[in-house]
Amino acid sequence: MTQVQLLGQRAKQAEKTLATASTELKNKALENMAQELAAASREILQANAEDMKNARANGVAQVMLDRLLLTEDRIVGMAKGITDIVRLPDPIGVTLSEIKRPNGMTVKKITVPLGVIAVIYEARPNVTSDAAALCLKSGNAVILRGGKEAINSSKAIVKALRLGLEKTGLDENCISLVTDTSRDSATELMRMNEYIDVLIPRGGAGLIRSCVENSTVPVIETGTGNCHIYIDKDADIQMAADIVYNAKTSRPSVCNSAESLVIHKDIIKEALPIIKKRLDEKNVELRGDDTARASADGILPATEDDWGREYLDYIMSVKTVESLDEAIEHISKYSTGHSECIVTENEAAAEEFLKRIDSAAVYHNVSTRFTDGGEFGFGAEIGISTQKLHARGPLGLPQLTSFKYIICGNGQIR
Amino acid sequence: MTQVQLLGQRAKQAEKTLATASTELKNKALENMAQELAAASREILQANAEDMKNARANGVAQVMLDRLLLTEDRIVGMAKGITDIVRLPDPIGVTLSEIKRPNGMTVKKITVPLGVIAVIYEARPNVTSDAAALCLKSGNAVILRGGKEAINSSKAIVKALRLGLEKTGLDENCISLVTDTSRDSATELMRMNEYIDVLIPRGGAGLIRSCVENSTVPVIETGTGNCHIYIDKDADIQMAADIVYNAKTSRPSVCNSAESLVIHKDIIKEALPIIKKRLDEKNVELRGDDTARASADGILPATEDDWGREYLDYIMSVKTVESLDEAIEHISKYSTGHSECIVTENEAAAEEFLKRIDSAAVYHNVSTRFTDGGEFGFGAEIGISTQKLHARGPLGLPQLTSFKYIICGNGQIR
C-alpha cells in the first residue's frame, strides 16, 4: 500500500466520526489547532528556514520566495485565520427544505459534508492551515498535498494541527499531509475515487489543467483569472482610471487582478492617455492593438497570445472594440470565467453586459479585486471556483457541503 | 472537423441566445416541440419499427426490447411529458441572495444555465425527449447521444423537436443528436471541454464508470442503485414485508428498487419466513448468508460478490447483522449511495441510521421506490445523481442550473 492509499483509507475512516461531530466539538478543535500552531512557532520557523535555504539554493524566483517565507507575524495571522472560522456558522445539518407529501411522508433536505477533500496546491504554507480549518469546520476530512519547496514548513504546520485534533479527542487523520511530493503522488490522489470525494487544486493554470485532464475524482477548478475591464463609450473616465489602476496594481499576483483592458473606440483617444498616466505610476507595461497604440504613447504591440494571458504581473493588454457587442464577444472568447467589469454611466449597456457575460462575478463600476469570500461578506474561502458545477466564485464553508434527503413515514409504498 | 466538434461548436453558439431567452419563449418552444412530436408520430413509429427489427435480428434481450419499443400511446406520453414541463417554474434568473456591503456595493447571486449539457444514454427513446425538454426549459443547449439500437427512433424524435424550435424562432442547434454511435464519438464528447460544460451519463454501471474514468468534462453520475433495506430488531414485521415486497418487485429494472435485505439477528427467524412468503408471489430468488438460510427454506447461498450487486431483476441478497452498527457498516461498504431504508419502530435506531448512512436518500419506514423527482414533488427529472458534488438525488430543473454574482456600485475600489 502506498502512502497516498494509506492516507486515503485513514481519512475515509476518520471522516465517519467527523461528519456527525457537533459544532461545539469542531470549534474546540479549531481553537486547539490555533493554539498548537502558535505553540509550535519556533519549530515551524526553523522548518521554514530550511525550506527558504533550499529554495534560494535552487534559484526559486523572488515572488515565490515571498509566498514561501514565514515570520512570527505570519504564524500569528495563520492562527487567527483558524479562530476566525470558529465564529462562522456551522454549514452542516442545515435544513434546506422540508415538505410533507400527500401520502403523509415527509421529505427533508439537509446539508452534509462532501466527505474527504484532497487539496493540491503550491508552496504556500498559509494554504495548509486555511484549507485544513475550513475543511474541519465543514465536517470534511482533508488530505493536503502542497508544493515540494514548502515541505518542511507544511510538515511542521500539519504536526501542530494534528496535535490540536488529538487534544480535542478527534481522530488526527481528519487532517493529513502527503509528504511524498513526487508527481506520482499527485496523480495517485487524482484517481483515488475509492477514498476521495472531491479534489480542489489551488494554484497556477498548469496545475489546474493537469488536475482537470488527469483526475477521475470530481474536481472543483479554482483560480485562473484572465479578468477584463471594459470601458464603455459612456464611462466616467476618472472612475475608469481609478478602477483600472486598483484592479491592475493593488496586488497583481492574485487571480482577481485585471489582465485586460477593453475600450470602446469612441472614448479611447480621450480615456487611454488618462488611464495610462495612472498606470505609469507603477510602471505597468501596456500591450495594445493598433488603435490603442495610436491613442497613447509608449504602448507595445499586442499579439494574439496576449488576449488569453493571465500575466499576474505589472502588464496589461489593451483591446479596442467598435461596440458593446464586440466587447462581449471578445471577453467571452478569452475570459477564464472569473471576474469581468463594465465601467459605464449607461444603465442599458450595463444591464446587457451583466446579463450576457458568463463569469463567476460580473461587475458594474466596481473593481474586479472584490471577488473574494471576505469582501462578499461570506467569510474565509479555500479559493475561487471558475467552473459552473457545484460552486462558482468564492469557495467558503457553504460550498464545502453536499446534502441528503431524509424521508420519514409509516409504511408508505408506491 | 468531426461531427461531434461541429455539434459542440453550434451548441455553444446556440446557447448564447438560449441562456437569456424569456420564460414565455422557452414555454412556447416546448409547446411547439410537443406538437411537432405528435405530428411526426407516424414517421417516428416507422423509424422505431426499423430499430426493433434490427434489435431482434441482433438478439437484443427482451427487457431492452421493451424499453426500445414505441407505440402511439408512448409518443402521446412523451409529448405530454414535454408540456408538463411548461407548467414548472423557470429555474433561470432566480435571485438566490442579495446583500449590500458596507462600502455601498450590492452583491446579487442569480441562477444561470449550466451551458451546454451532453447526455449519453442507452437505447431508450423517451430519454431523448425528456432530456431535451428539461435542458431547454433550464436554458441549456443539449447534445444527445443515445444507444445505437435506437438510432432511427432518436433521429426521428430529434428532427421533430428541432422543427418545434425552428417554428418558435429559436436556434435548432439548442437540441442536437450525435448520429455517429461509435465508441469514439462518446469518448470525444467526454473530452470536449471547449464546448461542453457538463456531461450526464444515464444508464448502467458500465456506462457511468466509463464516463467517470475517461471524461475531462465535469460529470454528474446518475443511476446505479444497490439499495438496501434494513429490518431492525424493533421492526413492525408486516410493514417490513410490505416495504420489501414493494421496493423489490414493483419495478425491478429501475435504480430505486431494492437489491439487498439486511436483517437483525434477533428478528430474522420470525421475520424472514414472512417476508419470503410475500416475495414468493413474484418468485424472487433470495441469496443469503448462513443465518439467513437457516431461518427460511429455499434461500440460495450468497457469495461476497452478491453484496455489491445491482441485480435489476427478481433477485435479492439477505445479510444477517448482529447490531445496528454492523448494519450501517455493511451498507456503507457496499452501497452505491443511492437510497437506503430502515424499518423500525425504535426512534433512536431510526435517528442513528438516518444520521450515519451517507446516501442521496435515506428512508425510515418508507419504500426506496420513492426516490424520484415526481414523488418528491419536484417535477420531471433527468436522472438520479449518486455523487455529492453539485446535485444529489433527483436531477430536476433547479439542478440543471449554475449561478453568477452580479456586483453593482459607483466606483468602489479595494
Side-chain angles (χ1 to χ4, degrees), chain B residues 293-328:
Chain B
R293 296 187 68 210
S295 306
D297 291 332
I299 298 181
L300 301 174
T303 65
E304 170 64 26
D305 177 58
D306 280 296
W307 310 130
R309 281 282 294 281
E310 186 188 17
Y311 300 113
L312 298 174
D313 202 347
Y314 292 93
I315 307 173
M316 194 168 208
S317 66
V318 189
K319 167 79 183 169
T320 316
V321 292
E322 303 269 324
S323 63
L324 173 63
D325 268 350
E326 195 192 340
I328 293 173

Short mmCIF file of all heavy atoms in Angstrom, two decimals, chain B residues 293-328:
data_model
loop_
_atom_site.label_atom_id
_atom_site.label_comp_id
_atom_site.label_asym_id
_atom_site.label_seq_id
_atom_site.Cartn_x
_atom_site.Cartn_y
_atom_site.Cartn_z
N ARG B 293 -30.09 -18.49 5.65
CA ARG B 293 -30.50 -19.77 5.05
C ARG B 293 -31.09 -20.70 6.10
O ARG B 293 -31.95 -21.53 5.78
CB ARG B 293 -29.31 -20.42 4.35
CG ARG B 293 -28.82 -19.56 3.17
CD ARG B 293 -27.75 -20.28 2.37
NE ARG B 293 -28.34 -21.42 1.68
CZ ARG B 293 -27.68 -22.53 1.39
NH1 ARG B 293 -26.42 -22.67 1.77
NH2 ARG B 293 -28.29 -23.51 0.74
N ALA B 294 -30.65 -20.54 7.36
CA ALA B 294 -31.19 -21.39 8.43
C ALA B 294 -32.53 -20.86 8.94
O ALA B 294 -33.23 -21.55 9.69
CB ALA B 294 -30.18 -21.45 9.58
N SER B 295 -32.89 -19.63 8.52
CA SER B 295 -34.12 -19.01 9.04
C SER B 295 -35.33 -19.21 8.15
O SER B 295 -36.47 -19.01 8.57
CB SER B 295 -33.90 -17.50 9.24
OG SER B 295 -32.77 -17.27 10.05
N ALA B 296 -35.10 -19.55 6.89
CA ALA B 296 -36.23 -19.79 5.97
C ALA B 296 -35.77 -20.77 4.91
O ALA B 296 -34.57 -20.83 4.58
CB ALA B 296 -36.68 -18.48 5.34
N ASP B 297 -36.70 -21.52 4.38
CA ASP B 297 -36.35 -22.52 3.37
C ASP B 297 -36.17 -21.88 1.99
O ASP B 297 -36.75 -20.84 1.70
CB ASP B 297 -37.47 -23.57 3.27
CG ASP B 297 -37.53 -24.43 4.52
OD1 ASP B 297 -36.47 -24.58 5.17
OD2 ASP B 297 -38.63 -24.91 4.86
N GLY B 298 -35.37 -22.54 1.18
CA GLY B 298 -35.28 -22.16 -0.24
C GLY B 298 -34.42 -20.95 -0.52
O GLY B 298 -34.58 -20.30 -1.55
N ILE B 299 -33.49 -20.60 0.40
CA ILE B 299 -32.60 -19.46 0.14
C ILE B 299 -31.26 -19.99 -0.35
O ILE B 299 -30.67 -20.88 0.28
CB ILE B 299 -32.42 -18.60 1.42
CG1 ILE B 299 -33.79 -18.02 1.83
CG2 ILE B 299 -31.40 -17.50 1.20
CD1 ILE B 299 -33.74 -17.14 3.06
N LEU B 300 -30.80 -19.48 -1.49
CA LEU B 300 -29.52 -19.92 -2.05
C LEU B 300 -28.36 -19.28 -1.29
O LEU B 300 -28.54 -18.23 -0.66
CB LEU B 300 -29.42 -19.51 -3.53
CG LEU B 300 -30.52 -20.07 -4.45
CD1 LEU B 300 -30.41 -19.48 -5.85
CD2 LEU B 300 -30.40 -21.61 -4.51
N PRO B 301 -27.17 -19.88 -1.34
CA PRO B 301 -26.04 -19.26 -0.64
C PRO B 301 -25.55 -18.00 -1.37
O PRO B 301 -25.44 -17.99 -2.60
CB PRO B 301 -24.96 -20.35 -0.66
CG PRO B 301 -25.34 -21.28 -1.77
CD PRO B 301 -26.83 -21.18 -1.95
N ALA B 302 -25.27 -16.97 -0.62
CA ALA B 302 -24.73 -15.73 -1.20
C ALA B 302 -23.22 -15.80 -1.22
O ALA B 302 -22.60 -16.39 -0.32
CB ALA B 302 -25.18 -14.53 -0.37
N THR B 303 -22.60 -15.21 -2.22
CA THR B 303 -21.14 -15.08 -2.25
C THR B 303 -20.81 -13.61 -1.98
O THR B 303 -21.70 -12.76 -2.02
CB THR B 303 -20.57 -15.47 -3.62
OG1 THR B 303 -21.04 -14.53 -4.58
CG2 THR B 303 -21.00 -16.86 -4.02
N GLU B 304 -19.54 -13.32 -1.73
CA GLU B 304 -19.09 -11.94 -1.49
C GLU B 304 -19.59 -11.03 -2.61
O GLU B 304 -20.02 -9.90 -2.38
CB GLU B 304 -17.56 -11.93 -1.41
CG GLU B 304 -16.89 -10.55 -1.39
CD GLU B 304 -17.24 -9.71 -0.17
OE1 GLU B 304 -17.58 -10.29 0.87
OE2 GLU B 304 -17.19 -8.46 -0.28
N ASP B 305 -19.57 -11.54 -3.82
CA ASP B 305 -19.99 -10.78 -5.00
C ASP B 305 -21.43 -10.29 -4.90
O ASP B 305 -21.78 -9.23 -5.43
CB ASP B 305 -19.80 -11.68 -6.23
CG ASP B 305 -20.27 -11.03 -7.50
OD1 ASP B 305 -19.74 -9.94 -7.80
OD2 ASP B 305 -21.17 -11.58 -8.17
N ASP B 306 -22.28 -11.06 -4.21
CA ASP B 306 -23.69 -10.68 -4.14
C ASP B 306 -23.93 -9.37 -3.39
O ASP B 306 -24.84 -8.62 -3.72
CB ASP B 306 -24.51 -11.80 -3.46
CG ASP B 306 -24.81 -12.93 -4.43
OD1 ASP B 306 -25.52 -12.67 -5.42
OD2 ASP B 306 -24.31 -14.05 -4.22
N TRP B 307 -23.11 -9.07 -2.38
CA TRP B 307 -23.36 -7.87 -1.57
C TRP B 307 -23.25 -6.58 -2.38
O TRP B 307 -23.90 -5.59 -2.07
CB TRP B 307 -22.42 -7.81 -0.36
CG TRP B 307 -22.36 -9.07 0.47
CD1 TRP B 307 -21.24 -9.72 0.85
CD2 TRP B 307 -23.46 -9.82 1.00
NE1 TRP B 307 -21.57 -10.85 1.59
CE2 TRP B 307 -22.93 -10.93 1.68
CE3 TRP B 307 -24.86 -9.69 0.93
CZ2 TRP B 307 -23.72 -11.89 2.32
CZ3 TRP B 307 -25.65 -10.64 1.57
CH2 TRP B 307 -25.09 -11.72 2.25
N GLY B 308 -22.43 -6.61 -3.41
CA GLY B 308 -22.23 -5.38 -4.20
C GLY B 308 -23.05 -5.33 -5.48
O GLY B 308 -22.91 -4.39 -6.25
N ARG B 309 -23.89 -6.32 -5.71
CA ARG B 309 -24.59 -6.42 -6.99
C ARG B 309 -25.86 -5.57 -7.08
O ARG B 309 -26.67 -5.53 -6.17
CB ARG B 309 -25.00 -7.88 -7.24
CG ARG B 309 -23.88 -8.77 -7.73
CD ARG B 309 -23.59 -8.58 -9.20
NE ARG B 309 -24.68 -9.01 -10.06
CZ ARG B 309 -24.94 -10.27 -10.39
NH1 ARG B 309 -24.19 -11.24 -9.92
NH2 ARG B 309 -25.95 -10.57 -11.17
N GLU B 310 -26.02 -4.89 -8.24
CA GLU B 310 -27.29 -4.26 -8.56
C GLU B 310 -27.97 -5.21 -9.55
O GLU B 310 -27.71 -5.16 -10.75
CB GLU B 310 -27.05 -2.88 -9.21
CG GLU B 310 -28.35 -2.11 -9.43
CD GLU B 310 -28.17 -0.83 -10.24
OE1 GLU B 310 -27.14 -0.69 -10.91
OE2 GLU B 310 -29.08 0.01 -10.21
N TYR B 311 -28.83 -6.08 -9.02
CA TYR B 311 -29.39 -7.13 -9.89
C TYR B 311 -30.31 -6.58 -10.98
O TYR B 311 -30.33 -7.08 -12.09
CB TYR B 311 -30.19 -8.14 -9.05
CG TYR B 311 -29.41 -8.85 -7.98
CD1 TYR B 311 -29.67 -8.62 -6.63
CD2 TYR B 311 -28.41 -9.77 -8.31
CE1 TYR B 311 -28.97 -9.28 -5.63
CE2 TYR B 311 -27.70 -10.44 -7.31
CZ TYR B 311 -28.00 -10.19 -5.97
OH TYR B 311 -27.31 -10.85 -5.00
N LEU B 312 -31.13 -5.59 -10.63
CA LEU B 312 -32.16 -5.09 -11.56
C LEU B 312 -33.03 -6.23 -12.05
O LEU B 312 -33.42 -6.30 -13.22
CB LEU B 312 -31.51 -4.34 -12.74
CG LEU B 312 -30.69 -3.10 -12.37
CD1 LEU B 312 -29.99 -2.54 -13.60
CD2 LEU B 312 -31.58 -2.02 -11.74
N ASP B 313 -33.35 -7.15 -11.15
CA ASP B 313 -34.06 -8.37 -11.51
C ASP B 313 -34.76 -8.92 -10.24
O ASP B 313 -34.58 -8.37 -9.16
CB ASP B 313 -33.03 -9.39 -12.04
CG ASP B 313 -33.66 -10.45 -12.92
OD1 ASP B 313 -34.91 -10.57 -12.95
OD2 ASP B 313 -32.89 -11.17 -13.57
N TYR B 314 -35.51 -9.98 -10.39
CA TYR B 314 -36.21 -10.57 -9.24
C TYR B 314 -35.25 -11.41 -8.39
O TYR B 314 -35.43 -12.60 -8.20
CB TYR B 314 -37.41 -11.40 -9.70
CG TYR B 314 -38.51 -10.55 -10.31
CD1 TYR B 314 -38.56 -10.34 -11.68
CD2 TYR B 314 -39.48 -9.95 -9.52
CE1 TYR B 314 -39.56 -9.55 -12.25
CE2 TYR B 314 -40.48 -9.16 -10.07
CZ TYR B 314 -40.51 -8.96 -11.44
OH TYR B 314 -41.49 -8.17 -11.97
N ILE B 315 -34.19 -10.78 -7.92
CA ILE B 315 -33.17 -11.42 -7.09
C ILE B 315 -32.85 -10.45 -5.95
O ILE B 315 -32.84 -9.24 -6.15
CB ILE B 315 -31.87 -11.70 -7.89
CG1 ILE B 315 -32.17 -12.46 -9.18
CG2 ILE B 315 -30.85 -12.46 -7.03
CD1 ILE B 315 -30.97 -12.62 -10.11
N MET B 316 -32.59 -10.98 -4.77
CA MET B 316 -32.27 -10.11 -3.63
C MET B 316 -31.30 -10.84 -2.70
O MET B 316 -31.44 -12.04 -2.48
CB MET B 316 -33.57 -9.80 -2.88
CG MET B 316 -33.45 -8.65 -1.88
SD MET B 316 -35.09 -8.14 -1.30
CE MET B 316 -34.77 -6.41 -0.91
N SER B 317 -30.31 -10.10 -2.18
CA SER B 317 -29.39 -10.72 -1.22
C SER B 317 -29.92 -10.51 0.20
O SER B 317 -30.66 -9.57 0.46
CB SER B 317 -27.98 -10.14 -1.38
OG SER B 317 -27.97 -8.78 -1.01
N VAL B 318 -29.56 -11.42 1.11
CA VAL B 318 -30.00 -11.32 2.50
C VAL B 318 -28.80 -11.45 3.43
O VAL B 318 -28.12 -12.47 3.44
CB VAL B 318 -31.03 -12.42 2.87
CG1 VAL B 318 -31.62 -12.13 4.26
CG2 VAL B 318 -32.13 -12.53 1.84
N LYS B 319 -28.54 -10.41 4.20
CA LYS B 319 -27.39 -10.36 5.10
C LYS B 319 -27.89 -10.26 6.54
O LYS B 319 -28.72 -9.40 6.86
CB LYS B 319 -26.55 -9.13 4.74
CG LYS B 319 -25.50 -8.74 5.74
CD LYS B 319 -24.27 -9.61 5.62
CE LYS B 319 -23.23 -9.25 6.68
NZ LYS B 319 -22.15 -10.26 6.72
N THR B 320 -27.37 -11.10 7.41
CA THR B 320 -27.74 -11.03 8.83
C THR B 320 -26.70 -10.18 9.57
O THR B 320 -25.50 -10.32 9.33
CB THR B 320 -27.71 -12.43 9.46
OG1 THR B 320 -28.36 -13.33 8.57
CG2 THR B 320 -28.41 -12.44 10.81
N VAL B 321 -27.17 -9.30 10.46
CA VAL B 321 -26.23 -8.49 11.25
C VAL B 321 -26.52 -8.65 12.74
O VAL B 321 -27.64 -8.95 13.15
CB VAL B 321 -26.27 -6.99 10.86
CG1 VAL B 321 -25.74 -6.78 9.46
CG2 VAL B 321 -27.69 -6.43 10.99
N GLU B 322 -25.48 -8.41 13.53
CA GLU B 322 -25.57 -8.56 14.99
C GLU B 322 -26.13 -7.31 15.65
O GLU B 322 -26.57 -7.34 16.80
CB GLU B 322 -24.17 -8.80 15.57
CG GLU B 322 -23.43 -9.99 15.02
CD GLU B 322 -23.69 -11.25 15.83
OE1 GLU B 322 -23.82 -11.13 17.07
OE2 GLU B 322 -23.78 -12.34 15.22
N SER B 323 -26.04 -6.19 14.93
CA SER B 323 -26.39 -4.90 15.56
C SER B 323 -26.67 -3.85 14.49
O SER B 323 -26.36 -4.04 13.31
CB SER B 323 -25.20 -4.41 16.40
OG SER B 323 -24.09 -4.19 15.53
N LEU B 324 -27.23 -2.73 14.94
CA LEU B 324 -27.46 -1.58 14.07
C LEU B 324 -26.12 -1.10 13.50
O LEU B 324 -26.00 -0.78 12.31
CB LEU B 324 -28.14 -0.46 14.87
CG LEU B 324 -28.32 0.89 14.18
CD1 LEU B 324 -29.21 0.77 12.96
CD2 LEU B 324 -28.90 1.93 15.14
N ASP B 325 -25.09 -1.06 14.36
CA ASP B 325 -23.76 -0.65 13.92
C ASP B 325 -23.27 -1.49 12.75
O ASP B 325 -22.75 -0.98 11.76
CB ASP B 325 -22.75 -0.79 15.06
CG ASP B 325 -22.61 0.50 15.85
OD1 ASP B 325 -23.15 1.53 15.40
OD2 ASP B 325 -21.98 0.48 16.92
N GLU B 326 -23.44 -2.82 12.89
CA GLU B 326 -22.96 -3.70 11.82
C GLU B 326 -23.77 -3.47 10.54
O GLU B 326 -23.24 -3.53 9.44
CB GLU B 326 -23.03 -5.17 12.26
CG GLU B 326 -22.23 -6.06 11.32
CD GLU B 326 -22.48 -7.56 11.52
OE1 GLU B 326 -22.97 -7.95 12.59
OE2 GLU B 326 -22.18 -8.31 10.58
N ALA B 327 -25.07 -3.19 10.71
CA ALA B 327 -25.91 -2.91 9.53
C ALA B 327 -25.39 -1.67 8.81
O ALA B 327 -25.24 -1.66 7.58
CB ALA B 327 -27.36 -2.70 9.96
N ILE B 328 -25.09 -0.62 9.58
CA ILE B 328 -24.61 0.63 8.99
C ILE B 328 -23.26 0.41 8.30
O ILE B 328 -23.01 0.89 7.20
CB ILE B 328 -24.53 1.75 10.06
CG1 ILE B 328 -25.96 2.12 10.52
CG2 ILE B 328 -23.80 2.98 9.52
CD1 ILE B 328 -26.02 3.08 11.71
#
